[in-house]
Amino acid sequence: MRSHNVTLSSPLLSVIENVVKSEGVSRDRLSTAVVELSRLFTIRRSALSHSYLESPTLAAAYLNYFLPVNLSKIQVLLNEMPVVLADEPFSVLDLGSGPGTGALAVLDWWHGRGNVSGLSVVAVDRSMTALQQAESLWRKYCRTANLTGASLQACKVDVGRTGWVKDVEPRVPFDLIILANCLNETHADATDPIAMRSSLVTELLARLAPQGTLMIVEPALRETSRALHQVRDRLLQEKRCTVYSPCLHENNCPALINPYDWCHEERAWEPPAFIQEIDGEVGFIKDALKFSYLLLRKDGKTIVDRRPDVYRVVSELRHLKGEKRAWLCNETGRPEIGRQDRLASSQNAAFDEWNRGAIVKIERIAHKEKAGKLSALGRIDQDCVVKLVQSI
């Protein structure tokens, strides 16, 4: 796995470390709360309350541990988006913002690119406590980094109710709309949650600028990822948008064919010292950012040109006896591809650089015939040219 170039900036580290000191939660209680939140976010999702940030201890655990992690995931995707000009106004909607994870990620990212005077963010959440935390973090960051001109507007709204969009209508259109770890929590009790979530995203797309990006980030769990794949398919079938990334096609998601499959990202990450300390205490290893995502557009832009010989790597490169294999995805489906070690050559050397999320080009995939049928496993021959189009 390759290291990604997203790191927490000095102003951001300073703000988070000050939050750690000011919460007044003992180290033992903090570590226990991190473990409890982790369980609620993963194996005990049915017990997760929308008001968990109302608890001072759970809020401290989120701000000290999960906020930096989730913020870094968003910044990974901000770097993947089409180029945004720093000297032009940039309007953001952070939906289901919690304590302003997306807002703070954009503010820090924009600050790293220069002038923030054109940046305006609307943070929407049902919890006033969470919105107050978002405003506090925003002010502390601006004060620490000596920033002026960037604005944050907090908006207490329940996106699960009809007509909620009127509260943000005056700020339309948005250049970027972020739904980070919140889509899976909306309409969870609905008869058809996929239809309801697709309708929500459709409403948001209508309020996205023509050259804007809608970013959805979800936990890298099978349940939440497959639900995101289903929302994706529905939006594309209804021709509401196109996928900029990660998908290299607009066909139905091939990961949904097998009920045990799902598609997610895993990016190497160097956590700050305070997260490493908590990991050491509770037995976690947060050395990677794991998530599922979609970057949606209305202008048809894509991360690379679509071609049948260009694929996204959707697994790690697996080392087997005498060969390596990986799963790929593009308009032709979700094939498994392998190369025997004895067939390694200068032409296919780029195969050894594959990693989850990389975009690759393969000149030719061979399929052996066995018992009158072609093998499902694709093979890279010695003379096959393999190129790494884009790494992560």
Side-chain angles (χ1 to χ4, degrees):
M1 191 190 306
R2 295 173 180 270
S3 295
H4 202 275
N5 61 0
V6 168
T7 56
L8 297 178
S9 69
S10 295
L12 195 55
L13 284 171
S14 176
V15 168
I16 294 171
E17 287 171 348
N18 285 333
V19 167
V20 173
K21 296 174 184 176
S22 66
E23 291 297 324
V25 177
S26 70
R27 193 61 184 221
D28 288 345
R29 288 177 62 200
L30 179 64
S31 297
T32 301
V34 166
V35 173
E36 175 61 16
L37 263 188
S38 179
R39 289 173 178 162
L40 288 171
F41 289 153
T42 54
I43 61 177
R44 296 184 58 224
R45 293 188 60 78
S46 60
L48 181 63
S49 168
H50 290 294
S51 60
Y52 67 88
L53 288 173
E54 309 286 341
S55 161
T57 305
L58 292 181
Y62 184 86
L63 293 172
N64 297 337
Y65 189 85
F66 294 96
L67 182 142
V69 175
N70 291 331
L71 183 150
S72 296
K73 295 174 186 178
I74 293 170
Q75 290 194 335
V76 165
L77 298 179
L78 289 171
N79 284 335
E80 190 168 289
M81 285 177 10
V83 175
V84 178
L85 298 178
D87 57 348
E88 293 185 359
F90 194 70
S91 176
V92 181
L93 174 63
D94 182 11
L95 197 69
S97 66
T101 308
L104 197 59
V106 175
L107 177 62
D108 182 60
W109 179 75
W110 204 265
H111 176 223
R113 303 173 76 246
N115 183 17
V116 301
S117 60
L119 176 64
S120 62
V121 180
V122 178
V124 172
D125 202 274
R126 65 168 67 181
S127 167
M128 182 54 70
T129 301
L131 291 172
Q132 289 169 346
Q133 291 167 339
E135 290 176 317
S136 176
L137 289 170
W138 182 278
R139 287 194 301 268
K140 288 175 180 176
Y141 184 98
C142 289
R143 189 163 56 246
T144 301
N146 194 28
L147 297 182
T148 59
S151 67
L152 174 70
Q153 176 187 339
C155 187
K156 185 180 181 300
V157 171
D158 181 359
V159 299
R161 68 172 175 82
T162 303
W164 71 270
V165 294
K166 74 178 189 305
D167 294 281
V168 300
E169 205 72 49
R171 302 295 291 272
V172 169
F174 296 99
D175 299 297
L176 172 64
I177 299 176
I178 301 173
L179 295 90
N181 298 311
C182 72
L183 187 62
N184 68 90
E185 296 179 3
T186 64
H187 305 294
D189 299 324
T191 304
D192 188 348
I194 301 303
M196 297 298 289
R197 291 167 190 167
S198 301
S199 178
L200 169 61
V201 177
T202 297
E203 284 188 298
L204 294 173
L205 286 166
R207 286 144 184 94
L208 184 69
Q211 284 76 46
T213 300
L214 196 156
M215 176 192 298
I216 305 176
V217 187
E218 291 283 72
L221 304 171
R222 180 169 64 185
E223 175 189 357
T224 53
S225 298
R226 287 179 64 84
L228 180 60
H229 303 339
Q230 292 175 63
V231 170
R232 169 203 178 275
D233 284 2
R234 188 164 189 137
L235 293 169
L236 296 182
Q237 288 164 7
E238 296 174 356
K239 301 189 183 305
R240 304 292 186 181
C241 57
T242 55
V243 181
Y244 176 81
S245 179
C247 310
L248 304 186
H249 62 91
E250 257 71 49
N251 300 334
N252 286 341
C253 177
L256 290 174
I257 296 173
N258 184 328
Y260 298 102
D261 285 342
W262 75 98
C263 191
H264 70 279
E265 297 296 308
E266 184 171 343
R267 309 287 176 89
W269 184 59
E270 183 65 32
F274 57 85
I275 287 184
Q276 293 184 44
E277 290 172 7
I278 295 175
D279 280 347
E281 292 169 6
V282 302
F284 292 170
I285 302 175
K286 192 65 70 176
D287 62 350
L289 302 172
K290 298 182 181 181
F291 57 95
S292 296
Y293 80 101
L294 287 173
L295 296 182
L296 303 177
R297 305 272 299 187
K298 297 191 295 185
D299 59 5
K301 276 190 178 180
T302 56
I303 190 167
V304 295
D305 291 337
R306 305 285 172 79
R307 295 170 50 118
D309 58 352
V310 173
Y311 302 81
R312 173 82 73 167
V313 181
V314 293
S315 75
E316 296 302 318
L317 190 61
R318 295 165 12 248
H319 294 249
L320 307 176
K321 186 177 180 180
E323 69 173 323
K324 300 184 183 77
R325 293 183 186 179
W327 289 92
L328 309 180
C329 185
N330 74 354
E331 63 196 63
T332 65
R334 195 169 184 267
E336 184 181 20
I337 304 298
R339 189 207 63 193
Q340 294 179 327
D341 294 343
R342 64 182 180 84
L343 298 180
S345 66
S346 58
Q347 288 98 319
N348 62 39
F351 177 88
D352 296 303
E353 300 179 52
W354 286 8
N355 48 70
R356 187 190 297 272
I359 300 175
V360 301
K361 183 179 179 182
I362 307 173
E363 178 189 51
R364 181 184 67 259
I365 297 175
H367 292 269
K368 291 185 178 180
E369 186 173 334
K370 190 174 183 179
K373 294 183 179 180
L374 292 178
S375 170
L377 175 64
R379 294 286 189 182
I380 292 177
D381 291 330
Q382 192 170 27
D383 61 348
C384 174
V385 176
V386 175
K387 294 182 179 180
L388 188 63
V389 176
Q390 184 169 315
S391 188
I392 58 171

